Amino acid sequence: MPIVAVIGDGQLARMMQTEAIELGQSIRLLAGAPDSSAAQVAADVVLGDYTDLADLRIAVEGASVMTFDHEHVPTEHLHQLIAEGVNVQPGPDALVNAQDKLVMRKKLREIGAPVPPFAAIESVEDARAFSAAVDGAVCLKARRGGYDGHGVWFPSPSELDSLVSELLDAGTPLMAEKKVALVRELSAMVARRPSGEVVPWPVVESVQTDGICTEAVAPAPDLSPELAERAQQLAVTVAEELGVTGALAVELFEYRDENGQPTIAVNELAMRPHNTGHWTQDGCVTSQFEQHLRAVLDWPLGSVRQTAPVTVMANVLGGDTDPEKPMAERMLDVHARFPEAKIHMYGKTYRAGRKIGHVNLAGAELERVRREARLAAHYLVTARWADGYIA
Amino acid sequence: MPIVAVIGDGQLARMMQTEAIELGQSIRLLAGAPDSSAAQVAADVVLGDYTDLADLRIAVEGASVMTFDHEHVPTEHLHQLIAEGVNVQPGPDALVNAQDKLVMRKKLREIGAPVPPFAAIESVEDARAFSAAVDGAVCLKARRGGYDGHGVWFPSPSELDSLVSELLDAGTPLMAEKKVALVRELSAMVARRPSGEVVPWPVVESVQTDGICTEAVAPAPDLSPELAERAQQLAVTVAEELGVTGALAVELFEYRDENGQPTIAVNELAMRPHNTGHWTQDGCVTSQFEQHLRAVLDWPLGSVRQTAPVTVMANVLGGDTDPEKPMAERMLDVHARFPEAKIHMYGKTYRAGRKIGHVNLAGAELERVRREARLAAHYLVTARWADGYIA
Ligand SMILES: Nc1ncnc2c1ncn2[C@@H]1O[C@H](COP(=O)(O)OP(=O)(O)O)[C@@H](O)[C@H]1O
Ligand SMILES: Nc1ncnc2c1ncn2[C@@H]1O[C@H](COP(=O)(O)OP(=O)(O)O)[C@@H](O)[C@H]1O
Ligand SMILES: [Mg+2]
Ligand SMILES: [Mg+2]
């Protein structure tokens, strides 16, 4: 059986491991710490630093392919490894587009993919000019390293100058984008093999709270078949044009165009399994983690038929204080109330805002499924039922 | 998170590990070898011998519960561990009924569960008397240690004497059972918690070829609701009366009674996840592996709603010669032809008659699903399509 070397030790690598086991494999991890989310449950772990070329070489020794649970491996290392004969999927030329928000937008514009108006911001003057062009509707973003809303700002015109000069002084490379009047956010995921096969999943609605994904609903409720088709086609095009392999998430804005018609534009790309694809573990024939492994190995892709009319994924995000009741007891309370709830925990310690798990719930009635998934996730964080339920 | 100590290193322990990871745990294994099916993919492995009390003590150190992927741990060790405060699930008083086919049958008769006529065989005279009582329809069984049809014989009256004396001389403890006119074999599985909750899965048809399970179809086709209900109720009763915890498989004979009516009798009990429950991984909200972990931890049990009208599990059984084409390539050929096929491989080397994996296929049409699952499993063994298909 081929060895898949996974660079990264978070929950995405952890959930790849469960699928790898069933495929008769076991992944090799390059992990930063033995107690990281993935390393604690993996048999074949190399401890090391993903920014260190020597460590990357050790991790990939004898492996059929190198893949990732994040996009932060230095591009030059990947080029060097490829020169040495390593099979890197997705490759660095694709990955650069997931590392830098400005590079990504330029590339997307080049291939004709819809993106909101944007500009590089290298000075306060750049920012003022962009703000004038978009009537003050500015969304400022750190080009690199942002996640979960860290690195995104919506300054009022009066705050713009000081914010921009502050960030530039601190050495943060910036870009600006028009703040769009969101109807909601969507995610179109696909998997693509090096030899070309591409399979899109159903488009999901991605609910963001304070810049962080808290919920995903599959398929996106009330999405017109035309828009769904357009979003899927867009994701396929991005995968093909950018040469992405493995799982790709295309995060989308849904908003109204000048004529009041719903339309979409790309917000972000993730070249790996993604939070908005966790629902596939319990609502789809082939999960994103299995599909990612198959895709990077250039194996034929699996069916993405949904196994339930609707699946809701609700994130378990650490709150301000970890309740006294142990997590295992909170889990069993959720199991007792909702026998259909599928709880996935990442082996991470509780910390405010940290993704420590998620709940998937599949069923026929959107409103019930969504309510129960939310209640379950909220209970796991707080040990309280948001609806006042008493067991 | 609680630690579950699993005694055993086969595919059942391996598949518990994948579910444990998603529950935020990782099981502790007592494994005989580091390259065994489960140990090769587990992070927390104690190498040792399950017949050695000291090794069992090491494996269970700090664990919340000890459970098993087989029934062969010596009963006296389990009693000793319990005396030392270890939480053993299922307990030895339940397990004895899965270790000895005669003990099991006596117990089942005692609780009123239907079993074919049987007798202890300690001499050739015992065998002759039993044969006379059942008109020569004798099934002879080794009381202990049999599996996959090893330890089961159907002697003709003329062979009976010599077979019995040969086996007794070799020190094989024997029993005999009436050979019934099978319509087919069924399996009724349940999970039960120490505190009492019992949840039965849908009854499945278990297809046996040469004494070995080759296929399971869920739910059992054309089973009358009355008989299905009776089988489930029987499995619940067995779990309760015998004090079984965790997963329990009650393997059943379906045959016609004196009036030609279909009826059932118990053949075997397995007190752990079972081959006839593998379909639950891809056809049921809660798989038998997750349910077993929840049950032995005394956590509330999960929903056993089917996620497809029918799911077929086909075993991948090593043949006479391992084809030249590597298994990974066989897998990708299967994936290419059947995108809905879910392949589960155990990391075991190919050997004639050995269970090295299984294929689950879920769908709406029994005949198609069954044909495809069979073709897939056969291809994985032989690298040939039984229907002559050319890619
Ligand atoms: N141009 C925009 N217009 C309106 N809202 C935006 C815009 N860009 C980002 N947002 C909001 O901020 C969230 C985080 O922005 P994003 O660029 O996705 O950052 P991150 O990399 O932290 O996920 C988005 O999910 C969206 O809710
Ligand atoms: N009393 C019987 N009458 C008819 N067939 C039987 C009988 N007992 C066993 N068999 C057949 O032999 C197979 C193996 O017997 P079993 O007792 O289940 O042994 P094992 O422990 O090896 O699985 C059964 O699945 C069934 O097909
Ligand atoms: Mg984002
Ligand atoms: Mg049997």
Side-chain angles (χ1 to χ4, degrees):
Chain A
M1 283 288 173
I3 295 173
V4 177
V6 176
I7 310 307
D9 59 16
Q11 64 264 29
L12 302 177
R14 180 183 176 107
M15 293 185 276
M16 286 184 212
Q17 165 71 348
T18 67
E19 296 290 2
I21 293 173
E22 293 303 320
L23 288 172
Q25 316 164 356
S26 172
I27 57 181
R28 159 107 42 84
L29 283 185
L30 178 63
D35 62 350
S36 56
S37 177
Q40 65 185 254
V41 296
D44 189 0
V45 179
V46 174
L47 290 179
D49 177 352
Y50 60 79
T51 67
D52 183 314
L53 182 57
D55 286 351
L56 292 166
R57 282 201 188 101
I58 295 170
V60 82
E61 176 73 36
S64 300
V65 60
M66 168 183 275
T67 191
F68 312 93
D69 91 338
H70 60 72
E71 295 98 349
H72 308 311
V73 177
T75 304
E76 61 273 20
H77 291 350
L78 298 181
H79 282 295
Q80 177 59 32
L81 290 166
I82 290 169
E84 294 170 14
V86 175
N87 177 20
V88 177
Q89 303 294 344
D93 297 336
L95 281 170
V96 287
N97 297 293
Q99 290 166 340
D100 185 310
K101 291 182 177 184
L102 183 62
V103 169
M104 180 202 90
R105 280 167 175 76
K106 287 182 176 164
K107 182 74 184 178
L108 290 174
R109 188 166 56 189
E110 190 185 308
I111 67 168
V115 284
F118 68 91
I121 302 296
E122 288 171 356
S123 65
V124 171
E125 290 67 42
D126 287 351
R128 282 193 196 141
F130 184 78
S131 179
V134 296
D135 292 329
V138 174
C139 174
L140 200 65
K141 296 187 177 188
R143 286 172 54 183
R144 304 178 73 96
Y147 70 97
D148 289 349
H150 305 294
V152 176
W153 302 269
F154 299 95
S156 67
S158 67
E159 297 163 339
L160 187 66
D161 287 17
S162 60
L163 180 63
V164 169
S165 62
E166 209 174 274
L167 288 165
L168 289 176
D169 286 351
T172 312
L174 290 179
M175 58 152 290
E177 179 174 66
K178 182 174 178 174
K179 182 181 171 189
V180 299
L182 287 181
V183 173
R184 59 177 169 177
E185 294 178 65
L186 302 172
S187 174
M189 289 195 68
V190 302
R192 182 170 173 274
R193 296 168 58 186
S195 58
E197 189 191 6
V198 196
V199 175
W201 278 277
V203 177
V204 310
E205 176 173 343
S206 155
V207 179
Q208 309 271 331
T209 314
D210 300 329
I212 188 164
C213 172
T214 50
E215 206 174 295
V217 182
D222 306 317
L223 185 65
S224 72
E226 299 71 39
L227 218 53
E229 166 69 28
R230 214 202 299 168
Q232 283 190 323
Q233 192 47 58
L234 175 58
V236 168
T237 303
V238 169
E240 289 175 341
E241 294 287 330
L242 274 57
V244 183
T245 52
L248 165 71
V250 180
E251 295 187 80
L252 299 166
F253 296 134
E254 184 182 340
Y255 64 99
R256 299 205 175 269
D257 67 14
E258 304 76 51
N259 309 318
Q261 290 306 305
T263 189
I264 51 175
V266 179
N267 174 31
E268 281 201 284
L269 304 179
M271 297 182 187
R272 47 169 171 78
H274 187 255
N275 201 163
T276 58
H278 290 352
W279 71 275
T280 57
Q281 295 176 305
D282 299 295
C284 192
V285 172
T286 309
S287 85
Q288 64 167 348
F289 302 103
E290 177 178 348
Q291 198 79 306
H292 182 77
L293 293 171
R294 286 162 68 158
V296 299
L297 284 165
D298 205 13
W299 285 18
L301 300 178
S303 160
V304 291
R305 177 172 63 78
Q306 293 176 232
T307 54
V310 58
T311 306
V312 174
M313 185 285 316
N315 272 336
V316 180
L317 292 166
D320 286 331
T321 43
D322 197 6
E324 250 176 68
K325 185 178 267 212
M327 182 56 81
E329 283 178 38
R330 286 176 247 166
M331 286 176 70
L332 70 87
D333 288 345
V334 168
H335 280 147
R337 183 169 177 193
F338 300 124
E340 300 247 333
K342 306 303 296 177
I343 303 177
H344 301 263
M345 297 303 294
Y346 309 153
K348 288 182 158 182
T349 51
Y350 194 97
R351 201 163 66 204
R354 191 182 210 193
K355 291 175 183 167
I356 58 172
H358 67 272
V359 176
N360 285 333
L361 223 145
E365 302 152 70
L366 170 60
E367 283 321 313
R368 184 189 57 76
V369 167
R370 182 176 218 158
R371 191 173 52 82
E372 293 184 356
R374 277 183 191 172
L375 284 169
H378 181 267
Y379 188 89
L380 292 172
V381 174
T382 60
R384 304 180 81 94
W385 293 113
D387 63 348
Y389 171 83
I390 292 166
Chain B
M1 282 288 172
I3 295 172
V4 178
V6 177
I7 310 307
D9 59 16
Q11 63 265 28
L12 302 178
R14 181 184 175 105
M15 293 185 276
M16 285 183 213
Q17 165 71 347
T18 67
E19 296 290 3
I21 293 174
E22 293 303 322
L23 288 174
Q25 316 165 354
S26 170
I27 56 181
R28 160 108 41 82
L29 282 185
L30 178 63
D35 62 350
S36 56
S37 179
Q40 67 185 253
V41 296
D44 189 2
V45 179
V46 174
L47 291 179
D49 178 352
Y50 61 77
T51 66
D52 184 314
L53 182 58
D55 288 351
L56 292 166
R57 282 200 188 105
I58 295 169
V60 82
E61 177 73 35
S64 300
V65 60
M66 167 182 273
T67 190
F68 312 92
D69 92 338
H70 60 73
E71 294 98 349
H72 308 310
V73 177
T75 303
E76 61 274 21
H77 291 352
L78 298 181
H79 281 295
Q80 176 59 33
L81 290 166
I82 290 170
E84 294 169 13
V86 175
N87 177 19
V88 177
Q89 304 293 344
D93 296 336
L95 281 169
V96 287
N97 296 293
Q99 290 166 340
D100 184 311
K101 291 182 176 184
L102 184 62
V103 169
M104 180 202 88
R105 280 167 175 75
K106 286 182 177 164
K107 182 74 185 177
L108 289 174
R109 188 167 54 187
E110 190 185 308
I111 67 167
V115 286
F118 67 91
I121 302 295
E122 288 173 355
S123 65
V124 171
E125 289 67 42
D126 287 350
R128 281 192 197 142
F130 185 78
S131 179
V134 296
D135 292 328
V138 173
C139 174
L140 201 65
K141 296 187 177 188
R143 287 173 51 184
R144 305 178 72 95
Y147 69 98
D148 289 350
H150 305 294
V152 175
W153 302 269
F154 299 95
S156 67
S158 67
E159 296 163 340
L160 187 66
D161 287 17
S162 60
L163 180 63
V164 168
S165 62
E166 210 173 274
L167 286 167
L168 289 176
D169 286 352
T172 311
L174 290 178
M175 57 153 289
E177 177 174 67
K178 181 174 181 175
K179 183 182 172 187
V180 298
L182 286 182
V183 174
R184 60 177 169 176
E185 295 178 65
L186 302 172
S187 174
M189 289 194 68
V190 302
R192 181 170 174 273
R193 294 167 60 186
S195 58
E197 190 191 6
V198 196
V199 174
W201 277 278
V203 176
V204 310
E205 177 172 343
S206 156
V207 180
Q208 310 270 331
T209 315
D210 300 329
I212 189 165
C213 173
T214 50
E215 207 173 293
V217 184
D222 306 318
L223 184 64
S224 71
E226 297 70 39
L227 218 52
E229 167 68 28
R230 214 201 302 168
Q232 284 190 325
Q233 192 46 57
L234 175 58
V236 169
T237 302
V238 170
E240 288 175 342
E241 294 287 330
L242 274 59
V244 183
T245 52
L248 165 73
V250 179
E251 294 188 80
L252 299 165
F253 297 135
E254 183 182 339
Y255 64 99
R256 299 204 175 269
D257 66 16
E258 303 77 51
N259 309 318
Q261 289 308 305
T263 190
I264 52 174
V266 180
N267 175 31
E268 280 202 285
L269 304 180
M271 297 182 187
R272 48 168 169 79
H274 187 255
N275 201 162
T276 58
H278 291 352
W279 70 275
T280 55
Q281 294 176 305
D282 299 297
C284 194
V285 171
T286 309
S287 85
Q288 64 169 347
F289 302 103
E290 177 179 347
Q291 199 79 306
H292 182 76
L293 293 171
R294 286 163 67 158
V296 299
L297 284 166
D298 206 13
W299 286 17
L301 301 177
S303 160
V304 290
R305 178 172 60 79
Q306 292 177 235
T307 55
V310 59
T311 305
V312 174
M313 185 287 316
N315 271 336
V316 180
L317 292 167
D320 286 332
T321 44
D322 196 9
E324 251 176 67
K325 184 179 270 215
M327 182 55 82
E329 284 179 37
R330 287 177 246 164
M331 285 176 70
L332 69 89
D333 289 345
V334 169
H335 280 147
R337 183 169 178 194
F338 300 124
E340 300 247 334
K342 306 304 297 177
I343 303 177
H344 301 262
M345 297 301 293
Y346 308 154
K348 287 182 159 182
T349 52
Y350 195 95
R351 202 163 68 204
R354 191 182 211 195
K355 292 175 183 170
I356 58 172
H358 67 273
V359 177
N360 285 334
L361 224 144
E365 301 152 71
L366 171 60
E367 282 322 313
R368 183 189 58 77
V369 167
R370 182 175 219 156
R371 191 172 52 81
E372 294 184 355
R374 277 184 190 171
L375 284 168
H378 180 266
Y379 188 90
L380 291 172
V381 175
T382 60
R384 304 179 81 93
W385 293 113
D387 62 348
Y389 170 84
I390 293 165

